[in-house]
Amino acid sequence: MSRRGRSLYRRRAILAACAAGVIVFRSSLSLQAGERRDDVPDSSYISLGLDPRFSSVGIVDESTGFGGGVLISPKWVLSAGHVVAATPNNFTYGTGTHGVGGTNVGINQFFTAPGQITGQEINGNDMGLIQITANATGVTFASRYFGTSDLGSLATYVGYGQAGTGSGGTISSSEGVKRAFTNNLDINGGSFSGGSTNLVISDFDDPGNADGLNLSGGGTLPTAMEGMLAFFDSGGGVFVDKTVGTQTRNYLESINSFVAAVGPPNGDGALNGTYSDLSFSTRVNAWNSWIDDTIANNWKTASNGNFSTAGNWSIGTMTSGTPTTGDIAGFNVAGTYTVTFTGPVDNYQMLARQGTITLNLGGFTYNLSSVAYDGSVVVGRYSGNAASVIVTNGTVTSHDAIIGHLSGSSGTISLGSAATWNLNGDMYVGGSFDGAGGSGTFSLQNSNSVANISGTMRVYGNGTVSYNAGSLSVGTLYVEGGRVNLSTGANKVLRVGVGTVTSGGKIDLADNDMIATLTTLSQIQSLITSGYNGGNWTGDGIASSKAASSPSGGEAGKTGLGFGTAGSLGLTTFDGISVSSSDVLVKYTYLGDANLDGKVDLSDMILFAPHWLTSGNVWTGGDFNYDGTVNAKDLTLLARNWQTGVSSAALDEPFDLSLLSTFGIPISSVPEPTSLCWLGIASLSLQRRRKRR
């Protein structure tokens, strides 16, 4: 039988063995961890364990020994339920060895997940939480995973369990050293009888697959740092990398739980950390809602009140005091109410899941310090959540923001009067880094509303950005099926670094302008051409609903979106904003306004004429209908708007055929029917103006 055939056979056989009960389980508190390949030195596994990405993993001392725990915030540790059930009394982080160095903190309170029973970890409820007495510092707090596409992923298991090799098994009295190994997430725990979908399983693959027992779920060959769990690894973390575009982020996917061995002929039947044994971990995404319910310091009732009043807050049924540094401020009660600040506030995260909440900052700053990828600001997280947050009269500083996180959720954030948001990270509207999710809306409502987003804004299909007033700047804008709508008023400038529109998304500038600092001219041209859609302005990309409603006359109306680089236009400022020569400027203006000065006159003819009857052109070269060629169609658009936007004194200067010769365009090169059409329109327009004068 081929290697692939043997591995597929074993996968099915293991599932059958599980169903038949021919499998030995053991919790990883007394479980093996840090088991490694025979051909890779232990020092490599120790080095991987000390990677800063995994600094959140520490040691939980409890009544019967110790296990691992993962810091998911400055005050909360996530661990295995059977570790927490054994009465934790101390947590140590920042050390590679149990009992040596690191920072020790006490335990304030702890909780096990509903249904947790020690010895029955197979039910998928092996999860626990510990609140420590002092904020942890100097740690990269773990970002919890909320996605579902984990099978087949390369994972890194981290813990303080015993060492050993795949051929020799566990070495006793080797526990207490922080190690990490990699393995593929092979099987969903619900694939076998009595198992739970809350579990994920990895098998310990032989480097040469000499026994033919390697599972195929993540590939038949082991990873470069293959390993499995061992005694004292319980409660440690399983981490996965997720990549979107050029960004890769590390997430806490599950918690080390227990191991198992399959009997012959599909395994050796010995639960000793040798090749063919299995590692089981409990998925974090199965317990995220319970985690948030447990660790958030929630506003108690749908009533107005002061943020600083301790009695307005609770964790579960306990009055907890005002959320301070390291705390998660939660809003999870339906209703409409205002929370007023009486001073500056520093929290770890703000999580709004229900209600319409106005945060009146009272002129102060609200700082949300979390840099974890599950967001420092989250509005609308789980299916059925419907939350809206309105910010007024102050400044919010934060990192990542998620609006409408998971499918079935709804979230809205509005910046009202005198509200500023300095977001030093990414914003996701209608989803998260992992992809599209719920329904999300972000809006700026007042002339003094300001949003500065230094990172990426992703607007998914159920996401909307409503720029109604104020100032909005974004580092990188990805409109992935959603909408960015600027209201009419000719008083807004959308400022982006990179602007990209995909999957049917749209940026509707209406009668406003845009500055793109890192996007190429050809990219902007392509997006505007798509939005122009042959003249009706209803296409995807960058469009103008105002231009779509402008007076028609032939192929298109009177207005459109002109564009060009600041350098080619000789501009150092645009709409009062300083620009660099490579910046791409987009202006709602008259068709024919080649230099984007808001009028159509001789200066535009000077730019237009050299490109007559040439192709490969852009707006500033006279291509006013976005087809890449400068011809009579573009001349018609220019003539239709001739002298529009100039002072009344210039209206006595008609556009006539002699202008063409002046700029080197032979009159004979203009098709006669077309020339008569635009000349007649221009003359008629001028005559009417003279009569009114």
Side-chain angles (χ1 to χ4, degrees):
M1 183 182 294
S2 68
R3 174 180 292 175
R4 174 170 173 78
R6 291 196 306 271
S7 60
L8 288 172
Y9 171 78
R10 179 173 180 256
R11 179 186 175 109
R12 297 189 187 102
I14 284 179
L15 299 182
C18 292
V22 190
I23 190 165
V24 180
F25 296 103
R26 182 179 297 166
S27 72
S28 56
L29 180 60
S30 48
L31 152 175
Q32 311 73 273
E35 301 300 310
R36 69 182 193 275
R37 292 173 53 144
D38 291 73
D39 56 346
V40 180
D42 189 37
S43 58
S44 296
Y45 290 81
I46 294 173
S47 177
L48 182 59
L50 297 177
D51 189 303
R53 293 176 298 166
F54 313 125
S55 61
S56 58
V57 180
I59 303 165
V60 177
D61 285 299
E62 34 81 4
S63 58
T64 60
F66 70 88
V70 185
L71 282 159
I72 57 173
S73 82
K75 289 187 175 180
W76 288 94
V77 176
L78 189 61
S79 185
H82 69 268
V83 172
V84 176
T87 313
N89 53 54
N90 186 71
F91 179 71
T92 305
Y93 65 93
T95 180
T97 306
H98 184 220
V100 179
T103 301
N104 299 299
V105 290
I107 306 301
N108 187 29
Q109 56 184 335
F110 53 87
F111 307 89
T112 57
Q116 185 277 328
I117 301 175
T118 299
Q120 297 185 22
E121 288 77 21
I122 193 68
N123 64 13
N125 300 335
D126 191 28
M127 195 70 74
L129 281 163
I130 301 168
Q131 185 186 47
I132 57 179
T133 55
N135 287 352
T137 59
V139 171
T140 301
F141 298 110
S143 303
R144 288 184 283 146
Y145 184 56
F146 285 81
T148 57
S149 57
D150 51 359
L151 284 185
S153 297
L154 177 66
T156 302
Y157 289 70
V158 186
Y160 288 83
Q162 292 180 342
T165 62
S167 60
T170 304
I171 302 172
S172 61
S173 302
S174 59
E175 68 275 3
V177 176
K178 192 174 187 179
R179 295 179 175 87
F181 63 83
T182 61
N183 209 320
N184 292 300
L185 302 181
D186 292 308
I187 301 176
N188 187 313
S191 299
F192 58 86
S193 178
S196 170
T197 57
N198 293 353
L199 300 171
V200 65
I201 308 168
S202 297
D203 80 317
F204 191 11
D205 289 330
D206 179 353
N209 197 21
D211 55 11
L213 300 179
N214 294 355
L215 281 178
S216 63
T220 59
L221 297 179
T223 65
M225 295 282 290
E226 183 90 0
M228 74 164 289
L229 297 173
F231 292 106
F232 301 100
D233 267 338
S234 292
V238 182
F239 297 83
V240 295
D241 285 338
K242 294 295 178 180
T243 300
V244 175
T246 60
Q247 287 184 301
T248 298
R249 293 183 165 186
N250 188 253
Y251 289 90
L252 176 65
E253 193 274 343
S254 53
I255 294 293
N256 300 338
S257 184
F258 63 99
V259 294
V262 178
N266 306 301
D268 58 15
L271 191 53
N272 55 6
T274 55
Y275 294 126
S276 84
D277 285 355
L278 309 177
S279 299
F280 287 67
S281 56
T282 306
R283 284 190 170 101
V284 171
N285 63 9
W287 292 101
N288 274 323
S289 181
W290 170 75
I291 293 169
D292 282 333
D293 287 341
T294 304
I295 69 178
N297 194 352
N298 286 311
W299 189 261
K300 291 171 65 174
T301 62
S303 302
N304 300 339
N306 289 333
F307 189 98
S308 59
T309 301
N312 290 332
W313 300 92
S314 66
I315 294 180
T317 59
M318 301 176 296
T319 299
S320 56
T322 304
T324 59
T325 303
D327 281 325
I328 298 166
F331 300 96
N332 195 24
V333 57
T336 301
Y337 51 95
T338 298
V339 177
T340 302
F341 287 56
T342 56
V345 173
D346 188 346
N347 291 156
Y348 181 71
Q349 182 188 65
M350 185 195 74
L351 172 60
R353 290 185 282 167
Q354 298 288 349
T356 300
I357 308 104
T358 296
L359 299 180
N360 181 353
L361 301 184
F364 299 103
T365 296
Y366 189 20
N367 179 53
L368 296 151
S369 62
S370 172
V371 295
Y373 302 136
D374 41 17
S376 60
V377 174
V378 182
V379 179
R381 170 155 274 173
Y382 304 103
S383 179
N385 285 176
S388 178
V389 173
I390 302 120
V391 181
T392 65
N393 195 25
T395 300
V396 175
T397 62
S398 77
H399 296 276
D400 283 7
I402 301 173
I403 309 172
H405 189 169
L406 300 174
S407 178
S409 69
S410 175
T412 298
I413 298 180
S414 301
L415 298 185
S417 178
T420 296
W421 190 358
N422 296 318
L423 196 159
N424 301 310
D426 299 337
M427 175 186 285
Y428 302 94
V429 186
S432 65
F433 180 81
D434 206 46
S439 173
T441 300
F442 173 60
S443 66
L444 290 85
Q445 300 292 350
N446 289 75
S447 59
N448 53 7
S449 301
V450 178
N452 300 310
I453 302 168
S454 65
T456 296
M457 173 189 277
R458 291 188 184 273
V459 188
Y460 294 106
N462 287 327
T464 301
V465 175
S466 297
Y467 184 7
N468 299 315
S471 172
L472 173 61
S473 63
V474 180
T476 301
L477 175 62
Y478 291 116
V479 186
E480 300 182 7
R483 294 290 184 268
V484 176
N485 298 323
L486 282 69
S487 64
T488 57
N491 57 355
K492 294 173 284 295
V493 181
L494 175 62
R495 286 173 285 171
V496 303
V498 176
T500 301
V501 184
T502 61
S503 306
K506 180 181 291 188
I507 300 173
D508 180 5
L509 292 179
D511 58 357
N512 302 284
D513 300 342
M514 176 177 171
I515 300 173
T517 59
L518 299 174
T519 308
T520 66
L521 189 68
S522 61
Q523 288 173 317
I524 294 295
Q525 180 182 23
S526 177
L527 291 173
I528 293 178
T529 301
S530 175
Y532 181 66
N533 197 35
N536 59 25
W537 289 106
T538 59
D540 301 328
I542 300 177
S544 168
S545 55
K546 185 70 173 179
S549 63
S550 66
S552 61
E555 182 183 353
K558 289 182 66 65
T559 58
L561 297 176
F563 63 96
T565 63
S568 67
L569 294 166
L571 299 177
T572 57
T573 62
F574 182 67
D575 288 335
I577 300 169
S578 295
V579 292
S580 299
S581 61
S582 60
D583 292 350
V584 181
L585 315 179
V586 181
K587 184 177 183 63
Y588 174 79
T589 188
Y590 300 107
L591 299 171
D593 178 18
N595 62 358
L596 307 189
D597 64 356
K599 55 190 177 183
V600 180
D601 56 14
L602 288 175
S603 60
D604 301 302
M605 273 297 298
I606 292 173
L607 294 174
F608 172 89
H611 303 96
W612 176 248
L613 297 182
T614 62
S615 59
N617 290 293
V618 296
W619 176 280
T620 52
D623 177 24
F624 306 128
N625 67 347
Y626 315 102
D627 65 358
T629 301
V630 177
N631 55 25
K633 292 181 179 180
D634 304 295
L635 189 56
T636 299
L637 297 175
L638 185 149
R640 179 185 299 147
N641 286 325
W642 183 249
Q643 303 293 0
T644 303
V646 301
S647 63
S648 58
L651 294 178
D652 291 323
E653 300 177 11
F655 188 97
D656 57 42
L657 293 177
S658 63
L659 283 174
L660 302 182
S661 299
T662 301
F663 289 99
I665 300 176
I667 296 176
S668 60
S669 69
V670 181
E672 186 175 353
T674 303
S675 66
L676 291 175
C677 177
W678 58 253
L679 184 57
I681 292 172
S683 299
L684 179 59
S685 175
L686 291 171
Q687 289 170 8
R688 286 178 177 174
R689 289 171 179 161
R690 292 191 189 104
K691 287 180 180 179
R692 284 196 297 269
R693 294 177 61 197

